[in-house]
Amino acid sequence: FLFLIVTMADKEKLVAADVQANPEGGQAPPSVKEVEKKLDPNAPPAESKVVLIRKLLAEHVFVQHLLLVPVIITLSYYISSIIIWPIFIGISLYFSIRALENSKKHIYDTVIESFAEDEISDIQEVAWLNQLVTKYWCSCVPALVKPHIDRVSATLADNKPPFVHRFEIGKWTLGKRGPRFQQIRTSREPDSSKYVLDGELIFTPDLSLELRIEPIKLVVVKILLTNVVFKGRLRIRFNLNNEVPNASIVSVCFVGDPQIAFAIRPMGSVDMLSLPKVYDWINETIMNAIKPLMVWPQKLQFTLGQGEVVSEHLIEAPITDIAIIDTNELTEPPGYLIVEKVLTGALPANINLGNNGRELYLTYRRDPVGEPITKLAVVCPSNGDVVPEGFTMIEKTPAGLSANLNEGTKGPAMFLCYSKAPGTPITGLSLINLKNKVIYNNDYTRLDITPSGKIANLNTGTKGNTTFLAYRGGCKSNFGYEIECKDTERGYLHVELIEGDNIKAADVCGTSDPYCVFTVGEEGAKKLPKQTSSIIDCTLNPVWNESFVFEANRTDILTINMYDKDQIGSDDFLGRIQIKLDTLVMGKTVEQWISLQLTSKGFLHLKFTAINFGLPTDSPVAALVPLECQGSTGLLSKFGAPVKHVGGKMGLGNSGGIVRHKPKRPTREVKAEAKAKEPGEEYIALTGHVEKLPTKNVLVGINQGWQRRWLVLDGHKLSYCRSSKDSVSNALGSIGLKNATIESDETDNEYTFTIVTSAKTLDCKTTTEDEFLEWFHAIKTNIHVSGKAKGRFDFSESEVIETDVEEPQTDSAKE
């Protein structure tokens, strides 16, 4: 009771002090609760007297004894038994021991928390670290840095302007002066197998690096890069293990943009730096090449001792938590992995890459005791998307910033959602950026459809690169979760336009600017909704990697029209494909090359998926058969009957312009067939027009391009003339096929082949598939036969003439 009276007296003093300091003109003084609320608005409500008494009894053993002694005396008076006092002593000991245990546990927990809160001071002696760096700088570091120098060289080559033939790194040396750390600190990591060290770095090496620039072929300009200065906060992470030297995997990165300065000067008599804006361009190119490699969250990884760099993203363990982080936060949450690179590519996994939005990255954690994430979704509320039932939307970053994937841009708000409902756990996350050609990893599924059936491009409505989320494991759905099939006759159709091959040249420069228009609907229907692909400039082999989603019926027809974009006048027609959807199997993907119709050449590489409609899932998957397209193809149809294409040739007819579909194949399949075909056993004679590259350039550094020549193949000799009127005796040149080889690059989308001999190399190209197969087989056969034929100085052992030893002859015999 004395404790309660003192507590109440202290509260009354606070009230009196508040009234004296802030008199309110005769108003009634505030109560104790009002004063407490005013002192701390966020404080919890005051405890009641009963709670205070219980806490007093629980925490003070002396008060317990004071209450128990009167009870014991009373019981002894009425019961008159000696056993009451031993019971009292036992109860007292029990409560005393329990109180001591609670006190000791409280002290222990407080000490542990104080240890956890302790941080090493930022200002430390780092002479030991600088000594180690200096010791191993010349002996070990160059071998570790070489792969990353090669990567920077490749980045410079990829980012070179079109007017430069080659831009790469030549000779380089790190010098003998290593970096110096000013101060270091360590941060806590929940994983005891990792050790993180942050340090303030000043690096002024005596580095020498040579840049090789070829404005035109064989004309090399060398530039020396010196006086390099790095200054910034460097983060070094060690992966600890039991192998020598116990920290086999090391990653290094700058936290925040470092201050990088360098000087460049010309080498030799050609001073290219004096040209306008060349110095600024080289400076910007080098900075753009270094930043994506060394600034957090990007990092350089290398090995020490017997370790091996293995990506932690490849671990097959369930993901339990996902977060979106801003690079301004300068670190990922403890225990989280950050997705630094896009899937199968070297681009940074910045969600807003290509626009001026905030740099956002995806992070995730694998908690052994947490519930796994099994489903994902990308929602765009302004497009009518709602968060699916049972999903959680990520609205904030760990630092409390907005997790809008389009934050900082003019695009609509988009958010990532996840669910932990029962199902197959997701074991990996990544991004797919379509800026460059993508080599798809079949272990990952691309999430490219929102719950409302829109394209789930994370940069929707912005100028950024087309980017999609990809995940490993889970339900293998383009939605990120399973879609209920309500009607097998109607649902979502997913079409992927991957690439084109050998399309028609519609421009005078010999190329086209192709794009595709997609429509889905009943046969003969008009004014159908359209979706259009992007325009690929100046190419005959476009690469799109774009997705389209339609609501379709099984009886609908998918129509794809390809056009060449023209700045003046109407766009040129390049071909059409029509596909009926009644043979698609629900949830199964059909991937195939289909030839364009109503034109003389061209193919499209497409994928079709009926997501929640179509034939039963246990039905066999078959290739789609294109329909015969009908329609006019150009100006000639305006003056008479429509144009008719049969077998790739154009003519006029009266049959309504029906195209007889003739299956064609991509060039890579044709080349593979030509290589696999066995050569013949007899010489083949062949003549015809073939395009050929000059074996010698008249002007150094200038390629004269393909030249049409008349080739004559006769036995072991291949001659080329200016025209068919010239005889072999007046040929421009010839090559012998004995011990020669014939090759063809399958990655090239033209019908090209190369003949290599000891004297020269001949590059040739045909215009059609049949011509390529005929010439390739004929030359291959003649090379094979000439290799078996014997030359004038080739003798076998059986052909060597044996002679007897000559005996001495007499004079008469000699006569």
Side-chain angles (χ1 to χ4, degrees):
F1 291 111
L2 181 63
F3 173 77
L4 295 176
I5 292 172
V6 172
T7 303
M8 295 300 296
D10 291 339
K11 292 181 180 179
E12 294 297 338
K13 291 180 181 179
L14 288 174
V15 172
D18 184 71
V19 172
Q20 183 177 1
N22 301 293
E24 298 183 1
Q27 295 182 0
S31 62
V32 174
K33 294 182 179 181
E34 293 176 352
V35 173
E36 291 177 346
K37 188 67 177 178
K38 188 173 182 180
L39 291 175
D40 188 1
N42 298 323
E47 297 176 342
S48 63
K49 296 180 180 179
V50 176
V51 174
L52 290 175
I53 293 175
R54 288 179 177 176
K55 185 181 295 186
L56 180 67
L57 292 176
E59 295 178 354
H60 296 79
V61 180
F62 179 72
V63 177
Q64 297 172 9
H65 288 178
L66 289 178
L67 295 178
L68 285 175
V69 168
V71 174
I72 295 302
I73 294 174
T74 304
L75 290 175
S76 301
Y77 177 78
Y78 286 102
I79 299 177
S80 301
S81 175
I82 195 65
I83 197 172
I84 297 299
W85 287 103
I87 293 175
F88 167 70
I89 295 173
I91 294 174
S92 301
L93 290 174
Y94 170 75
F95 280 107
S96 300
I97 293 173
R98 193 177 70 173
L100 288 173
E101 289 179 349
N102 292 337
S103 300
K104 290 169 63 178
K105 186 177 183 304
H106 176 69
I107 295 173
Y108 177 79
D109 292 342
T110 303
V111 173
I112 294 300
E113 290 178 2
S114 65
F115 285 162
E117 292 175 356
D118 285 344
E119 293 184 356
I120 300 177
S121 173
D122 285 343
I123 302 176
Q124 299 181 56
E125 294 293 334
V126 292
W128 62 273
L129 182 59
N130 291 328
Q131 184 178 0
L132 286 176
V133 171
T134 303
K135 180 179 180 181
Y136 294 105
W137 180 253
C138 297
S139 58
C140 300
V141 174
L144 302 176
V145 173
K146 184 181 182 303
H148 303 291
I149 295 289
D150 296 340
R151 193 193 306 178
V152 173
S153 181
T155 304
L156 293 176
D158 294 339
N159 296 329
K160 68 178 180 63
F163 58 84
V164 174
H165 177 70
R166 181 176 295 177
F167 186 24
E168 61 185 4
I169 295 178
K171 299 179 181 179
W172 59 273
T173 176
L174 287 180
K176 299 182 179 180
R177 189 164 60 238
R180 306 288 295 178
F181 287 90
Q182 289 184 322
Q183 56 189 29
I184 59 173
R185 67 179 297 272
T186 57
S187 57
R188 288 183 296 159
E189 280 287 326
D191 189 353
S192 59
S193 65
K194 296 181 177 61
Y195 179 79
V196 179
L197 180 71
D198 286 2
E200 294 296 330
L201 175 75
I202 294 182
F203 186 23
T204 57
D206 48 345
L207 178 143
S208 175
L209 188 142
E210 177 186 292
L211 299 176
R212 294 171 54 89
I213 302 177
E214 291 188 30
I216 60 175
K217 192 174 183 180
L218 302 179
V219 177
V220 180
V221 177
K222 297 181 180 180
I223 297 175
L224 186 64
L225 187 146
T226 58
N227 299 333
V228 180
V229 177
F230 283 89
K231 184 177 181 181
R233 178 181 169 190
L234 190 71
R235 176 171 295 168
I236 307 175
R237 174 171 293 182
F238 301 90
N239 286 12
L240 307 179
N241 54 30
N242 295 326
E243 300 173 355
V244 178
N246 300 114
S248 299
I249 303 175
V250 181
S251 63
V252 180
C253 67
F254 283 101
V255 181
D257 291 341
Q259 298 178 13
I260 304 177
F262 49 83
I264 51 180
R265 59 183 179 85
M267 298 175 62
S269 58
V270 180
D271 186 4
M272 189 177 177
L273 299 178
S274 60
L275 297 177
K277 296 186 177 180
V278 172
Y279 183 92
D280 295 336
W281 166 72
I282 295 177
N283 188 21
E284 182 181 358
T285 303
I286 295 174
M287 293 293 293
N288 292 338
I290 293 176
K291 183 175 179 180
L293 296 177
M294 297 188 62
V295 179
W296 184 90
Q298 311 304 322
K299 58 180 178 288
L300 299 180
Q301 283 189 317
F302 49 89
T303 62
L304 300 174
Q306 303 174 2
E308 183 178 347
V309 176
V310 179
S311 174
E312 296 180 88
H313 298 290
L314 300 179
I315 298 176
E316 290 292 339
I319 293 176
T320 58
D321 299 283
I322 301 177
I324 305 295
I325 63 169
D326 193 314
T327 54
N328 293 330
E329 300 175 23
L330 299 181
T331 184
E332 64 268 27
Y336 279 69
L337 286 176
I338 185 169
V339 180
E340 309 100 347
K341 302 289 185 182
V342 298
L343 185 65
T344 66
L347 291 174
N350 174 16
I351 295 175
N352 286 323
L353 188 65
N355 58 40
N356 297 325
R358 284 167 37 198
E359 292 190 31
L360 302 177
Y361 283 83
L362 188 67
T363 62
Y364 61 88
R365 179 174 63 173
R366 296 184 174 104
D367 189 352
V369 298
E371 295 184 19
I373 293 175
T374 56
K375 301 176 182 179
L376 297 171
V378 174
V379 298
C380 181
S382 60
N383 287 343
D385 290 323
V386 295
V387 179
E389 184 178 357
F391 279 69
T392 301
M393 186 168 70
I394 303 176
E395 301 183 64
K396 298 289 184 181
T397 69
L401 302 176
S402 173
N404 172 20
L405 303 180
N406 277 337
E407 187 68 22
T409 69
K410 296 182 180 179
M414 301 190 71
F415 296 92
L416 178 62
C417 306
Y418 64 89
S419 172
K420 296 186 177 182
T424 304
I426 293 175
T427 59
L429 290 176
S430 187
L431 293 179
I432 295 178
N433 191 307
L434 301 184
K435 179 182 179 181
N436 298 331
K437 186 174 181 179
V438 177
I439 302 175
Y440 286 95
N441 188 332
N442 294 329
D443 295 334
Y444 285 80
T445 303
R446 192 168 86 178
L447 197 165
D448 50 10
I449 308 177
T450 66
S452 63
K454 306 294 190 305
I455 296 299
N457 175 17
L458 302 184
N459 282 327
T460 298
T462 71
K463 296 182 180 180
N465 302 333
T466 301
T467 305
F468 294 97
L469 180 70
Y471 63 93
R472 189 174 68 242
C475 62
K476 302 291 184 181
S477 170
N478 296 106
F479 283 85
Y481 60 96
E482 296 178 352
I483 297 294
E484 181 181 358
C485 177
K486 299 180 181 179
D487 185 2
T488 58
E489 299 296 321
R490 182 172 177 82
Y492 288 111
L493 172 68
H494 183 252
V495 182
E496 290 185 50
L497 175 62
I498 300 175
E499 59 183 323
D501 177 60
N502 196 28
I503 66 174
K504 179 181 176 182
D507 297 335
V508 294
C509 60
T511 61
S512 294
D513 306 318
Y515 68 95
C516 295
V517 178
F518 296 78
T519 58
V520 174
E522 298 179 356
E523 186 176 3
K526 298 182 179 179
K527 296 183 179 181
L528 294 172
K530 299 179 180 179
Q531 295 191 38
T532 305
S533 73
S534 58
I535 301 171
I536 310 299
D537 296 327
C538 302
T539 181
L540 298 180
N541 306 292
V543 177
W544 282 284
N545 282 321
E546 296 181 6
S547 298
F548 305 89
V549 181
F550 305 89
E551 290 190 31
N553 298 316
R554 278 194 58 205
T555 57
D556 287 346
I557 294 176
L558 169 66
T559 302
I560 307 173
N561 288 315
M562 180 184 286
Y563 299 93
D564 167 63
K565 183 65 177 178
D566 288 334
Q567 300 297 330
I568 302 176
S570 59
D571 296 343
D572 299 323
F573 180 80
L574 297 180
R576 177 180 300 164
I577 294 174
Q578 286 188 316
I579 302 290
K580 201 167 184 179
L581 308 178
D582 56 353
T583 60
L584 289 174
V585 179
M586 184 187 306
K588 304 295 184 180
T589 298
V590 178
E591 179 180 0
Q592 65 186 96
W593 285 86
I594 302 177
S595 62
L596 290 163
Q597 302 182 38
L598 299 178
T599 188
S600 59
K601 57 194 303 188
F603 304 88
L604 284 182
H605 188 189
L606 299 161
K607 287 184 180 181
F608 310 91
T609 307
I611 296 177
N612 58 341
F613 75 99
L615 299 176
T617 55
D618 56 353
S619 302
V621 180
L624 301 179
V625 179
L627 301 176
E628 294 181 348
C629 301
Q630 299 182 8
S632 59
T633 62
L635 184 63
L636 294 175
S637 62
K638 298 181 180 180
F639 299 98
V643 178
K644 178 181 179 181
H645 291 267
V646 179
K649 298 181 180 180
M650 184 172 67
L652 295 177
N654 297 316
S655 60
I658 298 177
V659 174
R660 306 300 178 188
H661 176 68
K662 180 181 178 181
K664 297 182 181 180
R665 297 172 296 168
T667 54
R668 59 176 66 91
E669 294 184 9
V670 177
K671 292 180 178 181
E673 177 187 335
K675 291 181 179 180
K677 188 175 181 179
E678 294 295 332
E681 298 298 331
E682 296 181 359
Y683 282 120
I684 298 176
L686 185 63
T687 60
H689 279 106
V690 174
E691 294 185 61
K692 185 185 77 69
L693 282 177
T695 54
K696 294 182 179 180
N697 291 331
V698 178
L699 298 177
V700 177
I702 299 179
N703 192 341
Q704 300 179 43
W706 294 99
Q707 298 173 347
R708 187 175 174 84
R709 294 288 182 256
W710 179 261
L711 263 64
V712 179
L713 178 62
D714 185 13
H716 68 281
K717 186 177 181 181
L718 177 65
S719 306
Y720 47 94
C721 308
R722 193 177 301 274
S723 68
S724 59
K725 298 179 181 179
D726 298 338
S727 62
V728 176
S729 59
N730 296 326
L732 296 175
S734 63
I735 58 173
L737 299 180
K738 186 175 180 62
N739 299 325
T741 60
I742 182 170
E743 303 169 351
S744 182
D745 185 5
E746 294 188 12
T747 61
D748 189 359
N749 289 319
E750 295 182 303
Y751 295 117
T752 59
F753 58 89
T754 303
I755 305 171
V756 181
T757 68
S758 58
K760 64 175 67 174
T761 299
L762 209 63
D763 294 311
C764 301
K765 180 175 70 171
T766 63
T767 55
T768 65
E769 172 186 332
D770 295 335
E771 290 178 355
F772 174 81
L773 292 173
E774 185 179 16
W775 276 104
F776 195 95
H777 177 68
I779 297 174
K780 185 177 181 180
T781 297
N782 289 13
I783 292 174
H784 173 70
V785 176
S786 62
K788 296 172 62 177
K790 299 170 184 175
R792 66 180 69 179
F793 301 109
D794 296 337
F795 297 99
S796 62
E797 293 182 359
S798 62
E799 295 175 331
V800 177
I801 301 176
E802 297 182 0
T803 59
D804 295 334
V805 178
E806 186 175 349
E807 297 180 356
Q809 298 179 345
T810 62
D811 294 338
S812 59
K814 291 180 181 179
E815 294 177 357

